[in-house]
Amino acid sequence: MGRVRQTRLVLVVDRPDPSAVRVRTLVPDAAATDDPSGPVGTTHPATHWPDLAGQAGGAPGPAPRWVWDDTNLWYPQALAAGRRVERAHDLRLARAILRRSSLTAATPYAAAPPSGWDELRPVPAAPPPPAGGVEALFDLLPAPRTAPALDPVDEVRAQLAAVAASTDPGRLRLLLAAESAGALVAAELTHAGLPWRADVHDALLAATLGPRPRPGERPARLEELAVRIREILESPALNPDSHPDLLRALQYAGVGARSTRQWELEKLDHRVVAPLLEYKKLSRLLTANGWNWLDQWVTDGRFRPEYVVGGVVTGRWAANGGGALQLPHQVRSAVVADPGWTFVVADAAQLEPRVLAGMAGDLQMAEAGRGGDLYQGIVDAGAVATREQAKLGMLGAMYGGTTGESGRMLPRLARAFPRALELVEQAARAGERGEVVSTRLGRTSPRPGSAWQEAQGEAYGLDAPPDAQDAARAQTRAWGRFTRNFVVQGTAAEWALCWMASLRTRLWALPPATRPGGAPAPFTDRAHLVFFLHDELIVHTPAEHAAEVAVQVREAAAEAGRLLFGDLPVDFPLTVAVVESYDRAK
DNA sequence: TCCAGGGGCGCG
DNA sequence: AAAGCGCGCCCCTGGA
C-alpha cells in the first residue's frame, strides 16, 4: 500500500492500585511500525474506565488500539456501559503465542525465564448486566485484577520487540491482531447472546420427551422406554444409565454387545436395540440440552456461553458452559431471530483442505477448489472416482487415517496433489521426531510431554520389555497425527479469526436498525455476530440488511484468504443462508 | 462425601 | 460406517 498511514494511538490501560485506572499513551501503533520505543504519554487517573474508552474512541483520526492484560477484564465493562472498542492487543494471548512460536525462538523474549505474565490464566467474562440496570450496576463490577508488578507497558514493548526480531514479523503481527480481534468478538458474542426462544425449546422437549417432570423423575417417554428395556432384558432393577449395569444385562440376555456404544449396538440384531438406542438419544437430549440447561443458560431470550479464545492448542476457540460448540442440530429450531430481524448463517466450505492447498502452495488443489465444491473438483481432476472418496481421502490425509477407504485413497491423492500431501506428511514426520510444527501465521505446537520422551527412551533400552517398543511406536505415531493435524486445523483457525475480524469491522459500518432497541447498544442495534463455530458463523441482522450482510460475509472470507495466502489463487467459498431460525440453514 | 477417570456422545 | 484430529459435558463408578 502506497498511502501514508496516520498514526494510531496505542493506549495501555491497567490498574496499578484499586482506586485508579491508568491509561498511558504509546506512539506509534504497533501495526504501523516495529518501533516499540515511543515515549510513555499521559496518565489519566480515573475510576470509570469506559468513559475513557468512549472519549478516546470518539477522537478524530484512527481509533486507538487498546492494550490490556486480558480482554475479559476490561471489555465486558465497556460493552455494558455502551462502549465499543475497535482494536485491541491482548497481552496474555499474545504472550502465549510469542513465547512458543518457532518464529521468535531465537529472540530473548522466548528465552527469558517464566514471569508472572506466563501465569495469567483466562478469566471468565463478566456476566452481562440485566436489562435496565446498567448504570447502577456498573460501578459494582469487580475491579480488574492486574498484578501491580506486571507493567503492561514493559510487556507490550517486549512483545513488539520480539515480533520485530522474529523471522517473519508480518505474519506474527497479523496473528496477534487476529487473536486480539477474536477476543473482542468473543466478548461481544457473550454480550449480545444468541437469540433463543425458550418457549420453542420447551415445546420441542415436551413433544419429544413428554411434559417436564418433577426434579429427580424421568420424563414420561424416557420412563416408558426404560420399562420396556427392563422387560426385554428381563432385568427388573436395571438402570439404563449405568454402563456396567447395562452391559451386564445385555450379555446376560445374550445380545452379544461388547460395549454400549451406539454404533456397536446398531450392528446387533436384537429387539432391545431399537428401544435402547431411542433411550440413549432421548437421554442425551434431556441431560445435555433439556429443561435444566434451559434454566441455567437461557435468560431474557438469549443464550450466553463463554468463549475461550485460544482455548484449544491449535488456536481454535473452546467454550465454557452450556456446551456452546456442541449445540445439537436437534435443538437449533429454538434459535429464532427477533421480530423484524433475521439470521445470516455462513459456513466455509471444505475449509481445512483449502487451507492446506494454500499453505502448501498446491496450485492443482487450489484449482480443484476453484469456485465450488473442492471434493467434486478432486473427482473432476481425475484423482478419485467419487466425491465421497475425495472427502474420506482428504480427511484421512489431514487426520492421519490409514485404514479403509480413506487409506486406499491416499496414494491417488498424493499423485494428483503432491505438494499438499507432502506438507502434512512432513508435519507428521516432524511430530514423530518430537519436533514442533507451525501454522501459516506462526502459532507453534507444544512439545510432547516428558512421559512421551521417557517412553521413547525406555523403549530402546537394554532391558526394555517386549511391548515397550510397540507402545512407544504407538505414541510416536499418535504425536505425528497430532502435529499433522495441528498445521491444518491451526491455520484454518487463523483464517476464521481473520474472517471474523474483517466481518466485525464491516458490520459496524452498516446502519442501525430503523427501529432501535432500548438498552445501551454499542453494536447490537445493527447487524452483529451472535455465534461462531470453527468454520461457521451467525449474524443477527435487521431483515432489511440481510442481503448486504451476505455480501459482506463473502467479502470478509475473500479478505481472510488474501491476508493468509496473498495472491495465491485459493478460493474460500461460503454456504450462506438467510433464515429465521438456525435449523433452516443447510 | 468428594473427586478423578472412564465411557459415551454432541460439535467442527 | 468409523477411522484418523480437536474439544466440553453428561452420568456413573470406585477409591480416598
Side-chain angles (χ1 to χ4, degrees):
Chain A
M1 301 212 266
R3 71 192 170 82
V4 177
R5 299 184 69 133
Q6 281 184 277
T7 301
R8 183 189 298 280
L9 287 179
V10 176
L11 301 176
V12 185
V13 64
D14 70 346
R15 192 153 196 174
D17 69 79
S19 68
V21 168
R22 175 171 60 172
V23 178
R24 286 172 288 173
T25 307
L26 290 186
V27 258
D29 179 15
T33 171
D34 289 326
D35 178 11
S37 60
V40 174
T42 25
T43 296
H44 310 266
T47 54
H48 200 259
W49 112 261
D51 278 352
L52 286 172
Q55 288 160 15
R65 184 180 301 275
W66 288 93
V67 177
W68 48 46
D69 52 351
D70 189 317
T71 302
N72 279 353
L73 287 176
W74 297 92
Y75 196 34
Q77 300 180 29
L79 289 171
R83 315 289 191 199
R84 177 184 180 274
V85 159
E86 200 159 309
R87 283 181 174 75
H89 179 95
D90 185 303
L91 291 168
R92 181 181 63 82
L93 293 172
R95 183 173 181 98
I97 290 169
L98 293 175
R99 290 280 280 174
R100 205 153 81 184
S101 175
S102 58
L103 278 54
T104 55
T107 67
Y109 186 82
S115 82
W117 286 102
D118 293 300
E119 282 153 33
L120 296 183
R121 292 294 160 257
V123 296
V134 172
E135 290 305 322
L137 189 96
F138 173 73
D139 289 322
L140 300 177
L141 289 173
R145 285 186 288 154
T146 304
L150 304 180
D151 187 333
V153 167
D154 293 344
E155 178 61 17
V156 72
R157 285 178 162 166
Q159 292 188 2
L160 294 177
V163 169
S166 74
T167 54
D168 197 328
R171 289 187 184 183
L172 275 181
R173 202 149 37 223
L174 176 57
L175 176 55
L176 299 189
E179 185 88 335
S180 292
L184 296 179
V185 171
E188 290 169 2
L189 287 172
T190 300
H191 179 89
L194 180 64
W196 200 284
R197 285 273 297 275
D199 58 329
V200 173
H201 190 157
D202 177 68
L204 181 154
L205 292 174
T208 317
L209 300 167
R212 180 173 193 167
R214 284 198 293 264
E217 292 181 8
R218 278 198 183 89
R221 181 77 188 119
L222 216 41
E223 184 58 33
E224 286 165 28
L225 288 163
V227 167
R228 263 189 37 225
I229 292 163
R230 290 193 198 105
E231 280 170 8
I232 296 172
L233 296 179
E234 297 178 26
S235 178
L238 170 67
N239 172 11
D241 293 326
S242 165
H243 296 137
D245 226 17
L246 181 58
L247 193 56
R248 260 194 304 275
L250 288 171
Q251 282 166 348
Y252 193 74
V255 178
R258 298 206 320 281
S259 77
T260 67
R261 288 188 210 109
Q262 208 169 23
W263 63 270
E264 290 262 12
L265 295 173
E266 279 166 4
K267 294 189 297 195
L268 303 173
D269 180 26
H270 192 284
R271 63 198 184 94
V272 80
V273 168
L276 188 51
L277 290 176
E278 177 77 359
Y279 180 91
K280 288 166 78 77
K281 190 175 159 73
L282 296 189
S283 175
R284 169 79 193 186
L285 173 63
L286 174 70
T287 57
N289 295 97
W291 290 281
N292 291 340
W293 181 92
L294 200 45
D295 288 347
Q296 187 178 355
W297 292 107
V298 177
T299 51
D300 298 328
R302 293 291 187 268
F303 170 40
R304 301 174 194 277
E306 182 204 337
Y307 298 89
V308 186
V309 176
V312 179
V313 274
T314 59
R316 271 188 176 182
W317 290 9
N320 272 339
L325 303 185
Q326 310 143 253
L327 269 192
H329 292 94
Q330 214 177 354
V331 301
R332 293 186 180 183
S333 59
V335 181
V336 181
D338 289 351
W341 289 56
T342 191
F343 293 130
V344 176
V345 180
D347 180 311
Q350 307 103 32
L351 177 57
E352 292 193 350
R354 290 174 190 279
V355 152
L356 172 57
M359 289 182 88
D362 192 318
L363 297 179
Q364 281 78 32
M365 186 168 281
E367 175 60 30
R370 183 88 5 94
D373 182 343
L374 171 70
Y375 297 135
Q376 188 56 47
I378 290 177
V379 174
D380 296 343
V384 298
T386 68
R387 185 181 187 281
E388 199 56 18
Q389 287 178 337
K391 182 176 178 177
L392 285 171
M394 284 311 299
L395 288 178
M398 295 183 298
Y399 291 165
T402 54
T403 60
E405 187 82 328
S406 172
R408 274 195 292 281
M409 293 305 114
L410 290 182
R412 302 184 206 177
L413 291 172
R415 218 171 303 129
F417 310 107
R419 300 189 70 160
L421 276 282
E422 183 59 20
L423 188 141
V424 284
E425 282 304 316
Q426 292 287 349
R429 298 289 95 80
E432 290 176 0
R433 291 192 298 268
E435 298 167 6
V436 299
V437 295
S438 294
T439 60
R440 177 72 169 186
L441 296 185
R443 198 187 305 260
T444 298
S445 68
R447 296 190 179 281
S450 52
W452 189 93
Q453 311 274 9
E454 282 165 25
Q456 301 304 309
E458 283 168 14
Y460 302 98
L462 286 175
D463 49 357
D467 51 357
Q469 282 194 23
D470 292 344
R473 207 184 314 276
Q475 282 190 18
T476 298
R477 294 226 178 93
W479 198 259
R481 288 194 300 272
F482 165 64
T483 51
R484 170 195 294 270
N485 186 248
F486 182 95
V487 294
V488 179
Q489 187 182 118
T491 303
E494 290 168 349
W495 181 91
L497 284 173
C498 291
W499 184 33
M500 269 194 299
S502 169
L503 180 60
R504 174 181 185 266
T505 301
R506 293 164 183 274
L507 295 180
W508 179 241
L510 296 180
T514 46
R515 180 192 51 77
F523 64 95
T524 54
D525 59 347
R526 67 198 72 190
H528 59 280
L529 282 156
V530 288
F531 195 57
F532 172 64
L533 190 54
H534 306 313
D535 60 358
E536 177 181 344
L537 53 79
I538 304 182
V539 176
H540 192 214
T541 176
E544 69 262 30
H545 300 147
E548 178 61 19
V549 168
V551 168
Q552 295 302 327
V553 165
R554 290 189 195 280
E555 290 195 0
E559 185 178 347
R562 286 194 300 274
L563 284 169
L564 260 72
F565 303 113
D567 293 332
L568 208 76
V570 192
D571 282 356
F572 290 93
L574 306 179
T575 305
V576 180
V578 178
V579 290
E580 301 300 314
S581 64
Y582 189 17
D583 61 318
R584 316 279 291 262
K586 277 197 286 198

